[in-house]
């Protein structure tokens, strides 16, 4: 029997490609760049499956590829895929939740520590040969221990942040459209709050909501103004949840103390002025980037693709309605 064709939009870890090759005819985009939607559509011709990355814009046009059955997105976030259009066209969409939870929370924590204690700034200072000896007034940051952590979004990664906060003796607040079950709240000692009350009480605010029309610019000038002047804002979710231009203005004016960002509104671009600020720690969307985690993400996407093309239900289906 002829193997179904799968197009892989960027090079993946070998293990995942081998898994796909065992039951599919696999074509990989070997170019070291993201394909435009027009290029993607062209390369997808004749494919039953697309293994995409979060940098691929998978809109209705791409989804209209005749014979396309499944898009496996190698990310937990799937805002790059028009899921409604996929459902209409009965194309299954899968993602990779769970395997990146702890790695992402580790990194959000690292950003929090780095921004609070000014580690990248101190590193730049030391390398430039500016260190002239211990100075009681130099590089003063803010403490993390015993402070209040506000989690905007209390899904898997938010909960993993709350677990880490215990070790630092922190009080944890969370805001979410859904209130968590009481046993989970008490297991991680987290208390539900409205966004506004969380912002005004927290010393650290960490964003863990998916990007949707409802969460776009959830944190803008008004919300930044509600935060403490000593607060630190962390984002490892999606850039557009924060109004980046408003954040630049707030960091410049000292409305908040600092920020740590792994994601940007228009990746890979950054809002004008952001990279010139000392009170922001910037990373290139690497929160899930440990070799083990990235391999696990690619493996899940590959196995779900194989399942979908063999007529089995993928383990991480975003749009079960497409099955009906
Ligand atoms: C995701 O999976 O959505 C992250 O942004 C990248 O790991």
């Amino acid at each position: 029997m002829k193997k179904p064709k799968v197009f892989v939009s960027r090079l993946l870890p070998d293990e995942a490609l081998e898994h796909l090759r065992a039951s599919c005819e696999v074509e990989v985009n070997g170019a070291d760049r993201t394909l435009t939607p027009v290029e993607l559509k062209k390369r997808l011709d004749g494919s039953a499956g697309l293994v995409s990355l979060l940098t691929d814009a998978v809109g209705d046009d791409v989804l209209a590829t005749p014979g396309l059955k499944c898009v496996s997105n190698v990310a937990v976030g799937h805002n790059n895929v028009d899921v409604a259009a996929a459902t209409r066209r009965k194309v299954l969409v899968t993602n990779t939740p769970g395997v990146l939870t702890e790695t992402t929370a580790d990194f959000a924590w690292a950003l929090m520590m780095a921004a609070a204690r000014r580690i990248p700034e101190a590193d730049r200072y030391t390398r430039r040969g500016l260190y002239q000896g211990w100075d009681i007034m130099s590089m003063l940051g803010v403490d993390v221990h015993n402070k209040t952590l506000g989690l905007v979004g209390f899904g898997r990664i938010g909960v993993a942040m709350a677990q880490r906060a215990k070790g630092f003796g922190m009080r944890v607040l969370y805001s979410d459209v859904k209130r968590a079950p009481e046993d989970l709240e008490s297991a991680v000692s987290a208390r539900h709050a409205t966004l506004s009350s969380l912002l005004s009480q927290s010393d650290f605010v960490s964003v863990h909501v998916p990007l949707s029309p409802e969460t776009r610019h959830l944190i803008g000038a008004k919300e930044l103004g509600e935060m403490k002047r000593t607060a630190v804002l962390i984002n490892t979710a999606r850039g557009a949840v924060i109004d980046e231009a408003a954040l630049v203005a707030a960091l410049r004016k000292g409305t908040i103390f600092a920020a740590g960002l792994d994601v940007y509104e228009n990746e890979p671009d950054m809002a004008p002025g952001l990279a010139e600020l000392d009170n922001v720690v910037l990373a290139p969307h690497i929160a899930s980037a440990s070799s083990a985690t990235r391999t696990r993400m690619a493996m899940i996407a590959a196995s779900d693709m194989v399942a979908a093309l063999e007529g089995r239900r993928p383990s991480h289906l975003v749009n079960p309605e497409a099955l009906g």
Side-chain angles (χ1 to χ4, degrees):
M1 209 174 75
K2 201 165 174 279
K3 289 177 172 181
K5 191 180 150 201
V6 169
F7 183 68
V8 180
S9 74
R10 286 291 283 272
L11 209 54
L12 294 181
D14 285 344
E15 245 172 282
L17 290 176
E18 276 159 29
H19 187 77
L20 283 169
R21 283 188 181 119
S23 41
C24 310
E25 185 198 318
V26 180
E27 188 188 324
V28 183
N29 165 31
D32 194 20
R33 66 172 177 87
T34 302
L35 300 176
T36 65
V38 172
E39 291 172 324
L40 188 57
K41 189 167 169 60
K42 213 161 149 196
R43 297 288 298 273
L44 203 52
D45 191 40
S47 301
L50 165 65
V51 179
S52 55
L53 299 190
L54 59 88
T55 40
D56 297 310
V58 185
D60 191 41
D61 216 30
V62 171
L63 292 160
T65 302
L68 186 67
K69 291 193 171 67
C70 179
V71 174
S72 282
N73 204 41
V74 191
V76 62
H78 46 75
N79 54 290
N80 59 305
V81 181
D82 185 340
V83 178
T87 307
R88 253 193 337 268
R89 294 186 179 280
K90 302 260 179 276
V91 174
L92 305 184
V93 178
T94 72
N95 68 341
T96 66
V99 290
L100 48 74
T101 302
E102 301 300 331
T103 304
T104 303
D106 283 351
F107 192 80
W109 206 269
L111 277 182
M112 205 165 97
M113 299 291 291
R117 299 300 304 275
R118 305 170 59 173
I119 296 173
E121 188 188 348
D123 177 89
R124 291 192 291 272
Y125 175 89
T126 311
R127 282 171 199 276
R128 287 210 305 265
L130 299 173
Y131 178 48
Q132 301 289 315
W134 192 79
D135 176 351
I136 197 163
M137 296 306 286
S138 171
M139 291 281 159
L140 303 182
V142 292
D143 280 324
V144 176
H145 66 272
N146 297 347
K147 294 293 184 72
T148 296
L149 171 63
L151 299 165
V152 180
F154 202 54
R156 293 181 189 82
I157 302 171
V159 170
M161 290 295 284
Q163 279 162 340
R164 282 158 180 73
K166 275 188 162 189
F168 281 73
M170 297 175 94
R171 179 169 80 116
V172 179
L173 302 175
Y174 75 92
S175 67
D176 199 295
V177 280
K178 266 205 315 235
R179 173 109 193 234
E182 261 175 49
D183 55 344
L184 175 60
E185 286 186 353
S186 62
V188 296
S189 311
R191 203 155 54 75
H192 183 263
T194 61
L195 178 61
S196 172
S197 136
L198 176 150
L199 293 171
S200 63
Q201 292 184 65
S202 298
D203 301 293
F204 295 88
V205 173
S206 190
V207 175
H208 301 286
V209 287
L211 178 62
S212 68
E214 293 72 37
T215 61
R216 181 173 294 274
H217 286 192
L218 184 67
I219 303 202
K222 173 178 154 293
E223 290 73 22
L224 289 159
E226 288 175 324
M227 291 173 66
K228 296 182 183 182
R229 293 189 83 83
T230 49
V232 175
L233 177 63
I234 303 300
N235 191 4
T236 51
R238 285 292 181 267
V241 176
I242 296 177
D243 177 342
E244 207 168 286
L247 177 61
V248 171
L251 288 167
R252 260 196 201 127
K253 280 192 286 194
T255 308
I256 63 172
F257 178 71
L261 306 177
D262 186 43
V263 287
Y264 305 91
E265 215 173 321
N266 296 302
E267 291 185 18
D269 298 334
M270 280 183 267
L274 186 65
E276 278 88 70
L277 295 171
D278 258 336
N279 57 345
V280 63
V281 180
L282 303 171
H285 206 148
I286 55 168
S288 66
S290 72
S291 326
T293 292
R294 287 281 168 90
T295 301
R296 279 198 290 264
M297 290 164 67
M299 277 306 284
I300 288 191
S303 334
D304 271 352
M305 175 59 76
V306 170
L309 298 186
E310 287 180 350
R312 289 178 287 115
R313 187 188 171 105
S315 56
H316 300 291
L317 190 54
V318 171
N319 59 345
E321 310 79 21
L323 284 170

